[in-house]
Amino acid sequence: MRRAVIDLGTNTFHLFIVEINDQSLTSLYREKIAVKIGQNGISKGRIAKDAIKRALHTLKVFKTVIDQFGVTEVCGVATSAIRNAKNGQELIDEIKSTTGISIDIISGDREAELIFKGVRAAMDMGNTNHLAMDIGGGSVEFIIGNQQDILWKQSFEIGAQRLLDKFHKHDPMPKESVDDMFTFFKTELSELLEAITKHQPEAIVGCSGTFDTLCEIYRKEQEIEEKGNGTTYNLPIKNYRDIHRELLIKNKAQRLEIPGMVSMRVDMIVVASCLISFVTEYLPVDEIIASSYALKEGLLYEKERKPIAQELS
């Protein structure tokens, strides 16, 4: 049996195809495309017409790949930008009529739950409480838990595209805008800070393209060879802080020249890094654990509860 998972995120659409065996899930194909459906519309509560065109084109591409792999089951989910858009359901209906693919619009609470299941599949947290965070374009999910239990979870509609629209109006951002953003975080994330105080997480796990990019910048700086198919990577806090300061003082063209920078992240990485900087001020940690597993893998693991083997050669 072959299953495809489609994740329609605010910035990126993901396609993940696996073959289900007796003992494991074998990864056959992964694809991510920067659709940016939140662009020019997320702050207005609508998906812009050009974003709808990009979304439909991408789903047609995904459909072609799914057919080529002989997939027998497709599981698709949509998150913040679509669930909050006035015309979000219209887009889902058009995807169905155009490609035959059904997409479920999931709640922020459900999204957080799936993300943490993905983290559990990537690493063994034991009995230690971890704070997991996933920075999307529309929302940010925070979950506190361990390998056995989710102790607290919440989704906040303050994703990177929303923060970009609200605060990053000049490049580089002036200090006043950064200060305003941190004041905003303190108010908007008051429930997170209360949960941190209550549950005392001892580690932080980051799940999103932002964390992947930060780790790649760190590897390039330190000339560290990337390890094969590992599911986690550790980024020392000290090195993260150095990268964060560099991001704050550079404009877009200068950020693009940073070794390891990905063009699709270059705009939102500044505000996303500000959010990481804010959160890590409240945690006594020496490193950030970046997880390569998140929502997609959580959805698969929830259905099958089997380890995900590496891609076929």
Side-chain angles (χ1 to χ4, degrees):
M1 177 180 177
R2 291 184 174 184
R3 177 179 290 137
V5 172
I6 297 174
D7 172 11
L8 305 189
T10 300
N11 296 325
T12 311
F13 283 12
H14 297 262
L15 172 63
F16 185 23
I17 298 175
V18 298
E19 188 166 75
I20 301 171
N21 307 304
D22 291 338
Q23 301 299 323
S24 67
L25 306 175
T26 301
S27 176
L28 301 180
Y29 182 88
R30 287 178 184 266
E31 179 70 87
K32 59 182 177 181
I33 298 177
V35 177
K36 295 187 177 181
I37 56 168
Q39 200 169 61
N40 301 321
I42 195 168
S43 298
K44 303 170 187 174
R46 293 190 65 82
I47 301 170
K49 289 183 178 179
D50 57 338
I52 290 175
K53 289 180 181 178
R54 292 194 299 272
L56 291 172
H57 172 74
T58 301
L59 265 294
K60 289 175 185 176
V61 172
F62 284 0
K63 171 62 172 169
T64 299
V65 175
I66 286 168
D67 290 344
Q68 288 173 342
F69 273 87
V71 169
T72 50
E73 181 183 327
V74 179
C75 182
V77 295
T79 56
S80 177
I82 294 177
R83 71 171 167 252
N84 289 293
K86 297 180 181 71
N87 57 342
Q89 187 59 52
E90 292 175 27
L91 173 59
I92 297 302
D93 293 342
E94 193 164 356
I95 289 172
K96 175 66 174 178
S97 64
T98 303
T99 67
I101 296 174
S102 297
I103 302 292
D104 293 327
I105 301 176
I106 61 173
S107 68
D109 193 64
R110 172 68 170 153
E111 186 177 357
E113 179 185 7
L114 290 173
I115 288 165
F116 202 70
K117 287 180 177 179
V119 172
R120 281 176 172 164
M123 60 183 288
D124 185 356
M125 292 176 281
N127 295 320
T128 302
N129 289 349
H130 288 58
L131 170 66
M133 64 183 294
D134 187 306
I135 306 172
S139 63
V140 183
E141 282 67 47
F142 291 99
I143 312 97
I144 298 176
N146 49 52
Q147 201 66 25
Q148 290 74 41
D149 301 303
I150 291 179
L151 305 173
W152 176 89
K153 64 182 185 294
Q154 191 162 333
S155 177
F156 297 84
E157 296 296 331
I158 57 167
Q161 182 67 58
R162 299 183 197 276
L163 295 174
L164 189 71
D165 292 350
K166 188 176 181 67
F167 295 104
H168 199 162
K169 297 178 180 179
H170 303 280
D171 200 20
M173 272 197 304
K175 183 179 183 301
E176 294 77 11
S177 296
V178 176
D179 291 343
D180 288 345
M181 195 181 342
F182 272 68
T183 300
F184 173 80
F185 289 153
K186 197 155 191 176
T187 300
E188 292 295 311
L189 298 177
S190 60
E191 292 177 73
L192 167 66
L193 301 183
E194 290 173 7
I196 289 173
T197 299
K198 179 179 179 180
H199 297 292
Q200 297 290 303
E202 299 176 29
I204 183 168
V205 184
C207 328
S208 76
T210 294
F211 292 97
D212 293 339
T213 302
L214 291 171
C215 286
E216 183 61 20
I217 293 171
Y218 166 65
R219 283 193 291 265
K220 295 290 187 183
E221 284 183 349
Q222 303 298 316
E223 298 183 345
I224 299 172
E225 186 176 347
E226 184 176 2
K227 58 180 182 180
N229 290 300
T231 55
T232 62
Y233 192 87
N234 295 345
L235 171 61
I237 282 288
K238 179 184 181 302
N239 296 89
Y240 158 68
R241 298 285 185 199
D242 292 342
I243 295 169
H244 175 65
R245 284 190 287 269
E246 184 180 11
L247 293 173
L248 284 178
I249 63 174
K250 291 188 173 182
N251 61 29
K252 180 176 181 176
Q254 293 167 328
R255 292 194 300 275
L256 277 170
E257 294 177 355
I258 299 173
M261 179 60 70
V262 180
S263 59
M264 65 181 288
R265 306 285 175 201
V266 71
D267 293 318
M268 297 184 192
I269 197 169
V270 180
V271 292
S273 185
C274 285
L275 177 56
I276 297 167
S277 178
F278 173 82
V279 173
T280 52
E281 286 181 2
Y282 293 87
L283 295 171
V285 295
D286 297 323
E287 63 185 13
I288 297 169
I289 304 168
S291 169
S292 61
Y293 287 3
L295 189 152
K296 303 183 302 302
E297 293 78 11
L299 195 55
L300 284 169
Y301 189 69
E302 177 184 71
K303 286 179 173 291
E304 298 296 334
R305 298 198 66 81
K306 297 176 183 177
I308 302 171
Q310 66 183 24
E311 283 80 357
L312 293 175
S313 57

